[in-house]
Amino acid sequence: MKRFALYLASAILISFLVLFFLFTDKDYMAEKLFYRAKSTHSEIMKNPDATPPAMSVSVERDLQKIMRGHPDSELARHSYMALAEFYITEKRYEDAVAIIGAFLSEHEASGVSLLSKAYFLKGMAYEKKGEWHNAVKEYEILRDEYHHTPIGLQSALYIAQRCKGYGNMAETLKKYEDAIALYKRLCEENRGTMLGYSSSTYLIRSYIETEKYEEAGSIVEANIYDYPTPLVQAQQIPLIELIFVKKLKDADKAVKIYEYLIKNTEDAEFKKLLHNKIKRANEAKQQTTQ
Amino acid sequence: MISINKEPRFGLKSNWSAALELLAARPIVLMPFLVLALIQGLFLELLYFSSRRPLSFIADPLIRKFFGAGFTHYPAELILLPKLFAYASTLIYITAGIFLTAVCVEIIKRAKEDSSFDTGDIIRDNGKRYTTFLIYGVIATLAVYLAKRGNAFVFSLFYKLLASRLPEAVPGTVPAATTFFMPMALFLTIVVLHVFLLLVIPIIVIRGGTLWKAIVKSVSMGLRNFSYIFPLIIVPYLVYLPVFIMKANSARLAKLVFPEVILIITAAGIIVSMFVDCFVVICATEFLLKTTKKDS
């Protein structure tokens, strides 16, 4: 019996070893390296100033190994981005710009998602280096050529917000106007689609940040009619309260919208929420008239 | 005096010590579960290597179709491993597990009778009842599946009630519920189910008769002797509980430690369940043998 047990245990072990050495898949090993590098990078980001040097070295080494060993693979392209993010975490901004430059020249046929991320990271590296004028150039490429990607779409508003942080009011207003113009165009061209709705949310935020509450309110109202889904309706509720009740002091308009939503929903919990909102809007109206 | 139609009680400790003595004196009783562990181990290896070439040519299209393309890459394929292994284990249990349990019961019976036996004869004799064991395997699997669904349903009801009475308590309790209480409740549910189905195979092997009579007899013996059988099996199953909870939280553990820990936990589960299941089968068979002896 003991011998039988030993034979069985040996069979398992030998079969494991045989499979392990026979099935040495280079792509699988590269994925393991990539995961290890990303995990180590996540650990470094928790406390970047107190990282043992060996950890940083291992991240760079693993990612460069993937880029050298699998130059034409999708994983190698993601490794470029991961390495750029790592260099930014390590405050090696020159290296980040260099690696992204290498990626853009060698892999210009990559997918738009990776290319948009590359421009964003390049802009971020310049920004952290203190070269805002160079950063804006990259963000503007992102805004103009990749506005149909998630990163590209938000870049227009991002440029205006960052400008505000640097204190140049004239340039900030210009950037907000550019963002508003872009988002308005995208809303109209892509009405009824995901891109159209996403553009409208950024347009609302742009109007709110430039205190154009009437315009923001009209977009919110249009969204409720153009995108009659529970998720979109739920996302407009806090905006209705902010714009119509708090900023425009037009509680009647807010109540009208809430009543429209109550008529067009079957969800009892949502109806209860809307009744509460109507109550709060009427209370706010009474306080305003007093 | 009204006599209660219960089977005579043989002390739990004496049952356990008799089982341990048998394992030590006649380790051949472990052989069917060793073979089962080998089959499970080989399947686990194949599943682990299925994300690598050349097995990935066959496995990747299937995984993409049923689980999504993300699970064909590291480390997501390791997160999926316990689920795939559970499906494989179910298949192994139905096609080989019940049959090997029956072989183990026969070996225990012959060992207790102190008669010499040929393992080949035992396998051939039980092979004649293979269809019965196959059908029982399907029934037992269905029963466990219903128990799991019932468990999940009870928890969802509990949370609906909690959300309506104490909504602020819900977010705080969810982590503890999912990491510990739900797996514990499922574990207890499956042990309780075992109390009623544990004796089916020993009854078929030792007393003979049809599958349906064996199921009815096992359920009735479980009901009459619940206070004996439940502690008889839950104490050895508690050895398996830490592995059960780790398996339920394997995805979280993979993020905390390293992804290959999932493979280690699953392999540990195979080894631990080999010993625990064998021990429980010996205890159940001992109980039935003593009951049968008393009746005759």
Side-chain angles (χ1 to χ4, degrees), chain A residues 112-156:
Chain A
V112 289
S113 155
L114 271 177
L115 287 170
S116 60
K117 189 173 180 182
Y119 282 108
F120 178 74
L121 286 173
K122 202 173 175 189
M124 191 194 276
Y126 277 130
E127 202 183 332
K128 286 188 185 281
K129 241 178 108 179
E131 294 175 24
W132 172 242
H133 54 284
N134 283 330
V136 161
K137 282 182 195 160
E138 303 303 325
Y139 292 145
E140 283 177 350
I141 295 172
L142 193 55
R143 180 195 65 192
D144 299 335
E145 295 177 28
Y146 298 97
H147 48 251
H148 50 288
T149 64
I151 297 177
L153 187 64
Q154 61 182 328
S155 59

Short mmCIF file of all heavy atoms in Angstrom, two decimals, chain A residues 112-156:
data_model
loop_
_atom_site.label_atom_id
_atom_site.label_comp_id
_atom_site.label_asym_id
_atom_site.label_seq_id
_atom_site.Cartn_x
_atom_site.Cartn_y
_atom_site.Cartn_z
N VAL A 112 -6.17 52.91 -31.05
CA VAL A 112 -6.38 54.31 -30.60
C VAL A 112 -6.35 54.41 -29.08
O VAL A 112 -5.96 55.43 -28.53
CB VAL A 112 -7.71 54.89 -31.14
CG1 VAL A 112 -7.59 55.13 -32.62
CG2 VAL A 112 -8.89 54.00 -30.83
N SER A 113 -6.78 53.35 -28.40
CA SER A 113 -6.80 53.37 -26.94
C SER A 113 -5.37 53.55 -26.39
O SER A 113 -5.13 54.40 -25.52
CB SER A 113 -7.46 52.08 -26.46
OG SER A 113 -7.05 51.75 -25.20
N LEU A 114 -4.42 52.78 -26.94
CA LEU A 114 -3.03 52.89 -26.49
C LEU A 114 -2.40 54.22 -26.91
O LEU A 114 -1.66 54.83 -26.14
CB LEU A 114 -2.19 51.73 -27.05
CG LEU A 114 -2.15 50.47 -26.21
CD1 LEU A 114 -1.35 49.40 -26.91
CD2 LEU A 114 -1.56 50.72 -24.83
N LEU A 115 -2.69 54.64 -28.14
CA LEU A 115 -2.12 55.90 -28.64
C LEU A 115 -2.61 57.08 -27.80
O LEU A 115 -1.83 57.97 -27.44
CB LEU A 115 -2.48 56.11 -30.11
CG LEU A 115 -1.73 55.20 -31.08
CD1 LEU A 115 -2.34 55.31 -32.49
CD2 LEU A 115 -0.24 55.52 -31.14
N SER A 116 -3.92 57.08 -27.47
CA SER A 116 -4.46 58.19 -26.66
C SER A 116 -3.81 58.19 -25.28
O SER A 116 -3.46 59.24 -24.73
CB SER A 116 -5.98 58.10 -26.56
OG SER A 116 -6.38 56.90 -25.95
N LYS A 117 -3.60 56.99 -24.74
CA LYS A 117 -2.96 56.89 -23.42
C LYS A 117 -1.53 57.43 -23.50
O LYS A 117 -1.06 58.11 -22.58
CB LYS A 117 -2.98 55.44 -22.96
CG LYS A 117 -2.53 55.26 -21.52
CD LYS A 117 -2.71 53.84 -21.05
CE LYS A 117 -2.26 53.71 -19.61
NZ LYS A 117 -2.37 52.35 -19.10
N ALA A 118 -0.85 57.12 -24.61
CA ALA A 118 0.54 57.56 -24.79
C ALA A 118 0.63 59.09 -24.75
O ALA A 118 1.47 59.66 -24.06
CB ALA A 118 1.08 57.02 -26.10
N TYR A 119 -0.27 59.74 -25.51
CA TYR A 119 -0.24 61.22 -25.52
C TYR A 119 -0.57 61.79 -24.16
O TYR A 119 0.02 62.79 -23.73
CB TYR A 119 -1.20 61.76 -26.59
CG TYR A 119 -0.64 61.67 -27.98
CD1 TYR A 119 -1.14 60.74 -28.90
CD2 TYR A 119 0.41 62.49 -28.39
CE1 TYR A 119 -0.60 60.64 -30.17
CE2 TYR A 119 0.95 62.38 -29.66
CZ TYR A 119 0.44 61.45 -30.55
OH TYR A 119 0.98 61.34 -31.81
N PHE A 120 -1.51 61.15 -23.47
CA PHE A 120 -1.88 61.63 -22.14
C PHE A 120 -0.69 61.52 -21.18
O PHE A 120 -0.39 62.46 -20.43
CB PHE A 120 -3.08 60.86 -21.60
CG PHE A 120 -3.48 61.28 -20.22
CD1 PHE A 120 -4.12 62.50 -20.00
CD2 PHE A 120 -3.19 60.49 -19.13
CE1 PHE A 120 -4.47 62.91 -18.73
CE2 PHE A 120 -3.53 60.90 -17.85
CZ PHE A 120 -4.17 62.11 -17.64
N LEU A 121 -0.01 60.37 -21.21
CA LEU A 121 1.13 60.18 -20.31
C LEU A 121 2.27 61.14 -20.64
O LEU A 121 2.95 61.65 -19.75
CB LEU A 121 1.62 58.73 -20.38
CG LEU A 121 0.72 57.70 -19.70
CD1 LEU A 121 1.21 56.29 -19.98
CD2 LEU A 121 0.64 57.92 -18.20
N LYS A 122 2.46 61.40 -21.94
CA LYS A 122 3.52 62.33 -22.36
C LYS A 122 3.21 63.73 -21.81
O LYS A 122 4.08 64.42 -21.27
CB LYS A 122 3.60 62.34 -23.88
CG LYS A 122 4.95 62.82 -24.41
CD LYS A 122 5.03 62.64 -25.91
CE LYS A 122 6.33 63.23 -26.44
NZ LYS A 122 6.36 63.27 -27.92
N GLY A 123 1.91 64.11 -21.96
CA GLY A 123 1.50 65.41 -21.44
C GLY A 123 1.69 65.48 -19.93
O GLY A 123 2.17 66.48 -19.39
N MET A 124 1.34 64.39 -19.25
CA MET A 124 1.47 64.36 -17.79
C MET A 124 2.93 64.47 -17.38
O MET A 124 3.27 65.18 -16.42
CB MET A 124 0.87 63.05 -17.26
CG MET A 124 0.72 63.06 -15.74
SD MET A 124 0.42 61.43 -15.07
CE MET A 124 -1.30 61.31 -15.28
N ALA A 125 3.81 63.80 -18.12
CA ALA A 125 5.25 63.84 -17.79
C ALA A 125 5.77 65.28 -17.94
O ALA A 125 6.49 65.79 -17.07
CB ALA A 125 6.02 62.88 -18.70
N TYR A 126 5.37 65.94 -19.05
CA TYR A 126 5.79 67.34 -19.25
C TYR A 126 5.24 68.23 -18.14
O TYR A 126 5.93 69.12 -17.62
CB TYR A 126 5.29 67.87 -20.60
CG TYR A 126 6.18 67.51 -21.78
CD1 TYR A 126 5.66 66.93 -22.93
CD2 TYR A 126 7.55 67.78 -21.75
CE1 TYR A 126 6.46 66.62 -24.01
CE2 TYR A 126 8.37 67.46 -22.83
CZ TYR A 126 7.81 66.87 -23.96
OH TYR A 126 8.62 66.55 -25.03
N GLU A 127 3.98 67.98 -17.78
CA GLU A 127 3.33 68.81 -16.76
C GLU A 127 4.05 68.66 -15.42
O GLU A 127 4.32 69.66 -14.74
CB GLU A 127 1.87 68.37 -16.63
CG GLU A 127 0.99 69.45 -16.04
CD GLU A 127 -0.44 69.02 -15.82
OE1 GLU A 127 -0.94 68.13 -16.55
OE2 GLU A 127 -1.05 69.58 -14.91
N LYS A 128 4.38 67.43 -15.07
CA LYS A 128 5.06 67.21 -13.78
C LYS A 128 6.47 67.78 -13.81
O LYS A 128 7.03 68.14 -12.77
CB LYS A 128 5.07 65.72 -13.44
CG LYS A 128 3.69 65.24 -12.99
CD LYS A 128 3.73 63.81 -12.47
CE LYS A 128 2.34 63.32 -12.14
NZ LYS A 128 1.81 63.79 -10.87
N LYS A 129 7.03 67.87 -15.03
CA LYS A 129 8.38 68.45 -15.17
C LYS A 129 8.32 69.97 -15.05
O LYS A 129 9.34 70.63 -14.92
CB LYS A 129 8.90 68.11 -16.58
CG LYS A 129 10.17 67.28 -16.61
CD LYS A 129 10.56 66.97 -18.03
CE LYS A 129 11.79 67.79 -18.40
NZ LYS A 129 12.24 67.52 -19.78
N GLY A 130 7.09 70.54 -15.15
CA GLY A 130 6.92 71.98 -15.08
C GLY A 130 6.87 72.63 -16.46
O GLY A 130 6.88 73.84 -16.57
N GLU A 131 6.83 71.81 -17.52
CA GLU A 131 6.78 72.36 -18.89
C GLU A 131 5.34 72.35 -19.38
O GLU A 131 4.96 71.54 -20.24
CB GLU A 131 7.68 71.54 -19.81
CG GLU A 131 9.16 71.65 -19.45
CD GLU A 131 10.05 70.72 -20.29
OE1 GLU A 131 9.64 70.34 -21.41
OE2 GLU A 131 11.13 70.37 -19.82
N TRP A 132 4.53 73.28 -18.86
CA TRP A 132 3.10 73.31 -19.17
C TRP A 132 2.85 73.54 -20.66
O TRP A 132 1.95 72.93 -21.24
CB TRP A 132 2.40 74.37 -18.32
CG TRP A 132 0.97 74.60 -18.70
CD1 TRP A 132 0.43 75.76 -19.15
CD2 TRP A 132 -0.10 73.64 -18.67
NE1 TRP A 132 -0.91 75.59 -19.39
CE2 TRP A 132 -1.27 74.30 -19.12
CE3 TRP A 132 -0.20 72.29 -18.32
CZ2 TRP A 132 -2.50 73.66 -19.22
CZ3 TRP A 132 -1.43 71.67 -18.43
CH2 TRP A 132 -2.57 72.35 -18.88
N HIS A 133 3.67 74.37 -21.30
CA HIS A 133 3.44 74.67 -22.71
C HIS A 133 3.60 73.40 -23.57
O HIS A 133 2.86 73.17 -24.51
CB HIS A 133 4.41 75.78 -23.21
CG HIS A 133 5.84 75.46 -22.94
ND1 HIS A 133 6.41 75.57 -21.68
CD2 HIS A 133 6.84 75.04 -23.75
CE1 HIS A 133 7.68 75.22 -21.74
NE2 HIS A 133 7.98 74.90 -22.98
N ASN A 134 4.59 72.55 -23.24
CA ASN A 134 4.76 71.27 -23.95
C ASN A 134 3.63 70.30 -23.62
O ASN A 134 3.16 69.56 -24.49
CB ASN A 134 6.11 70.62 -23.59
CG ASN A 134 7.27 71.27 -24.31
OD1 ASN A 134 7.11 71.78 -25.42
ND2 ASN A 134 8.44 71.27 -23.67
N ALA A 135 3.19 70.34 -22.36
CA ALA A 135 2.11 69.45 -21.93
C ALA A 135 0.83 69.77 -22.71
O ALA A 135 0.14 68.88 -23.20
CB ALA A 135 1.86 69.59 -20.44
N VAL A 136 0.54 71.08 -22.83
CA VAL A 136 -0.68 71.49 -23.54
C VAL A 136 -0.66 70.99 -24.98
O VAL A 136 -1.69 70.56 -25.51
CB VAL A 136 -0.81 73.04 -23.51
CG1 VAL A 136 -1.75 73.54 -24.58
CG2 VAL A 136 -1.34 73.47 -22.16
N LYS A 137 0.51 71.03 -25.61
CA LYS A 137 0.60 70.55 -27.02
C LYS A 137 0.15 69.10 -27.11
O LYS A 137 -0.60 68.72 -28.02
CB LYS A 137 2.05 70.65 -27.51
CG LYS A 137 2.49 72.04 -27.91
CD LYS A 137 3.91 72.03 -28.44
CE LYS A 137 4.45 73.44 -28.49
NZ LYS A 137 5.92 73.50 -28.54
N GLU A 138 0.62 68.28 -26.16
CA GLU A 138 0.25 66.85 -26.20
C GLU A 138 -1.24 66.67 -25.92
O GLU A 138 -1.92 65.89 -26.59
CB GLU A 138 1.07 66.05 -25.16
CG GLU A 138 2.58 66.16 -25.32
CD GLU A 138 3.09 65.74 -26.68
OE1 GLU A 138 2.50 64.80 -27.29
OE2 GLU A 138 4.07 66.33 -27.15
N TYR A 139 -1.75 67.41 -24.91
CA TYR A 139 -3.17 67.29 -24.57
C TYR A 139 -4.04 67.75 -25.74
O TYR A 139 -5.13 67.23 -25.96
CB TYR A 139 -3.50 68.11 -23.32
CG TYR A 139 -2.89 67.60 -22.03
CD1 TYR A 139 -2.46 68.48 -21.04
CD2 TYR A 139 -2.73 66.24 -21.80
CE1 TYR A 139 -1.89 68.03 -19.85
CE2 TYR A 139 -2.16 65.77 -20.62
CZ TYR A 139 -1.75 66.67 -19.65
OH TYR A 139 -1.18 66.21 -18.49
N GLU A 140 -3.54 68.77 -26.48
CA GLU A 140 -4.34 69.26 -27.61
C GLU A 140 -4.36 68.26 -28.76
O GLU A 140 -5.38 68.13 -29.45
CB GLU A 140 -3.83 70.63 -28.08
CG GLU A 140 -4.30 71.73 -27.12
CD GLU A 140 -3.77 73.11 -27.46
OE1 GLU A 140 -2.87 73.21 -28.34
OE2 GLU A 140 -4.25 74.07 -26.84
N ILE A 141 -3.26 67.52 -28.95
CA ILE A 141 -3.27 66.43 -29.95
C ILE A 141 -4.31 65.41 -29.54
O ILE A 141 -5.12 64.92 -30.35
CB ILE A 141 -1.88 65.75 -30.08
CG1 ILE A 141 -0.85 66.73 -30.64
CG2 ILE A 141 -1.96 64.50 -30.95
CD1 ILE A 141 0.57 66.21 -30.61
N LEU A 142 -4.32 65.10 -28.25
CA LEU A 142 -5.28 64.14 -27.69
C LEU A 142 -6.71 64.63 -27.92
O LEU A 142 -7.59 63.89 -28.36
CB LEU A 142 -5.00 64.02 -26.19
CG LEU A 142 -5.63 62.91 -25.38
CD1 LEU A 142 -5.32 61.55 -25.96
CD2 LEU A 142 -5.10 62.97 -23.95
N ARG A 143 -6.94 65.90 -27.66
CA ARG A 143 -8.27 66.48 -27.80
C ARG A 143 -8.71 66.50 -29.26
O ARG A 143 -9.84 66.17 -29.59
CB ARG A 143 -8.25 67.91 -27.25
CG ARG A 143 -9.58 68.65 -27.33
CD ARG A 143 -9.39 70.13 -27.11
NE ARG A 143 -8.58 70.71 -28.19
CZ ARG A 143 -8.06 71.93 -28.16
NH1 ARG A 143 -8.22 72.70 -27.11
NH2 ARG A 143 -7.35 72.39 -29.18
N ASP A 144 -7.82 66.88 -30.15
CA ASP A 144 -8.20 67.07 -31.56
C ASP A 144 -8.29 65.76 -32.34
O ASP A 144 -9.13 65.62 -33.21
CB ASP A 144 -7.21 68.02 -32.25
CG ASP A 144 -7.22 69.40 -31.60
OD1 ASP A 144 -8.25 69.76 -30.98
OD2 ASP A 144 -6.19 70.11 -31.67
N GLU A 145 -7.39 64.83 -32.04
CA GLU A 145 -7.34 63.60 -32.86
C GLU A 145 -7.95 62.38 -32.20
O GLU A 145 -8.26 61.41 -32.90
CB GLU A 145 -5.89 63.30 -33.25
CG GLU A 145 -5.30 64.38 -34.16
CD GLU A 145 -3.83 64.14 -34.50
OE1 GLU A 145 -3.41 62.96 -34.51
OE2 GLU A 145 -3.11 65.12 -34.73
N TYR A 146 -8.11 62.41 -30.89
CA TYR A 146 -8.60 61.21 -30.20
C TYR A 146 -9.81 61.50 -29.31
O TYR A 146 -10.01 60.84 -28.30
CB TYR A 146 -7.46 60.60 -29.36
CG TYR A 146 -6.30 60.15 -30.20
CD1 TYR A 146 -5.18 60.96 -30.36
CD2 TYR A 146 -6.32 58.92 -30.85
CE1 TYR A 146 -4.12 60.56 -31.16
CE2 TYR A 146 -5.26 58.51 -31.64
CZ TYR A 146 -4.16 59.33 -31.79
OH TYR A 146 -3.11 58.93 -32.58
N HIS A 147 -10.65 62.48 -29.70
CA HIS A 147 -11.77 62.84 -28.82
C HIS A 147 -12.85 61.77 -28.80
O HIS A 147 -13.78 61.84 -28.02
CB HIS A 147 -12.38 64.20 -29.19
CG HIS A 147 -12.66 64.33 -30.65
ND1 HIS A 147 -11.91 65.16 -31.47
CD2 HIS A 147 -13.57 63.72 -31.45
CE1 HIS A 147 -12.37 65.06 -32.71
NE2 HIS A 147 -13.37 64.20 -32.73
N HIS A 148 -12.72 60.74 -29.66
CA HIS A 148 -13.69 59.65 -29.63
C HIS A 148 -13.26 58.54 -28.66
O HIS A 148 -13.94 57.52 -28.56
CB HIS A 148 -13.89 59.09 -31.04
CG HIS A 148 -12.59 58.77 -31.72
ND1 HIS A 148 -11.73 59.75 -32.18
CD2 HIS A 148 -11.99 57.60 -32.00
CE1 HIS A 148 -10.67 59.19 -32.73
NE2 HIS A 148 -10.80 57.89 -32.63
N THR A 149 -12.11 58.73 -28.00
CA THR A 149 -11.69 57.76 -26.96
C THR A 149 -12.02 58.36 -25.59
O THR A 149 -12.12 59.60 -25.47
CB THR A 149 -10.18 57.48 -27.02
OG1 THR A 149 -9.48 58.69 -26.73
CG2 THR A 149 -9.76 56.97 -28.40
N PRO A 150 -12.18 57.53 -24.55
CA PRO A 150 -12.52 58.08 -23.22
C PRO A 150 -11.50 59.11 -22.72
O PRO A 150 -11.88 60.15 -22.21
CB PRO A 150 -12.53 56.84 -22.33
CG PRO A 150 -12.84 55.70 -23.25
CD PRO A 150 -12.21 56.05 -24.55
N ILE A 151 -10.18 58.82 -22.88
CA ILE A 151 -9.16 59.76 -22.40
C ILE A 151 -9.21 61.04 -23.24
O ILE A 151 -9.13 62.16 -22.70
CB ILE A 151 -7.74 59.14 -22.47
CG1 ILE A 151 -7.64 57.92 -21.56
CG2 ILE A 151 -6.70 60.16 -22.07
CD1 ILE A 151 -6.30 57.22 -21.65
N GLY A 152 -9.35 60.87 -24.54
CA GLY A 152 -9.35 62.03 -25.43
C GLY A 152 -10.54 62.94 -25.18
O GLY A 152 -10.42 64.17 -25.23
N LEU A 153 -11.69 62.31 -24.90
CA LEU A 153 -12.91 63.09 -24.72
C LEU A 153 -12.80 64.02 -23.51
O LEU A 153 -13.22 65.18 -23.56
CB LEU A 153 -14.10 62.16 -24.57
CG LEU A 153 -15.48 62.80 -24.54
CD1 LEU A 153 -15.78 63.49 -25.86
CD2 LEU A 153 -16.56 61.76 -24.23
N GLN A 154 -12.21 63.51 -22.43
CA GLN A 154 -12.13 64.35 -21.23
C GLN A 154 -10.97 65.34 -21.30
O GLN A 154 -10.89 66.24 -20.46
CB GLN A 154 -12.04 63.49 -19.98
CG GLN A 154 -10.83 62.61 -19.91
CD GLN A 154 -10.81 61.74 -18.65
OE1 GLN A 154 -11.30 62.14 -17.61
NE2 GLN A 154 -10.22 60.57 -18.76
N SER A 155 -10.09 65.20 -22.30
CA SER A 155 -8.89 66.05 -22.33
C SER A 155 -9.22 67.53 -22.51
O SER A 155 -8.53 68.40 -21.99
CB SER A 155 -7.92 65.58 -23.41
OG SER A 155 -8.56 65.63 -24.66
N ALA A 156 -10.30 67.82 -23.28
CA ALA A 156 -10.65 69.23 -23.52
C ALA A 156 -10.96 69.94 -22.20
O ALA A 156 -10.43 71.03 -21.94
CB ALA A 156 -11.85 69.30 -24.45
#
